[in-house]
Amino acid sequence: MSVIASTSGTAAGGTATSGTSGDGATTGGTREHYTISEVAALTGLTAHTLRWYERIGLMPHVDRSHTGQRRFTTRDLDWLAFVGKLRLTGMPVADMVRYAELVRAGDHTREERRELLEATRRNVLARVTELQETLAVLDVKIAHYGTVCGGTPT
């Protein structure tokens, strides 16, 4: 299962099947290439954002057709799904770009990549704890208003 299928809920494992619009070649019913507009539709990102990701180095090199159109692959879609998850963690764009650079640099950067992801994980856990504490305060207030205002306690 591709990353995009497990994270964004797109049909058919995040890949379009033959017979869809666009210039992507097909093999066995699975698309090999996607246009920028197709990727935008699949990911919810704008074409402007996709171009920006490429320009700042967050996207790996995107292949081009003979006419100069970007030709995204399923692997690119999977990467974008992962980047989307990193965005949800609140990871700064500079750290995401650094992570992408480390990936492109090769296996000898695995330890640094792991450390970057672990630091992000610690930040996410701290935010989860903060949100749980905030939720507890809200629950107390909601229960208070439920009993004071004649409602039923929760």
Side-chain angles (χ1 to χ4, degrees), residues 5 9 17 28 36 44 50 52-53 62 76 80 89 93 98 101 105 110 113 132-133:
T17 58
I36 197 166
L50 292 166
W52 180 65
Y53 279 5
V62 177
D76 294 327
L80 288 168
T89 69
V93 172
R98 176 69 183 141
E101 290 168 348
R110 284 184 181 208
R113 284 184 267 163
Q132 288 173 331
E133 292 168 357

Side-chain angles (χ1 to χ4, degrees), residues 58 86-87 89-98 116 120 123:
L58 189 51
L86 292 180
R87 287 178 55 218
T89 69
M91 179 186 270
V93 172
D95 287 348
M96 288 188 273
V97 170
R98 176 69 183 141
L116 186 57
T120 300
N123 291 337

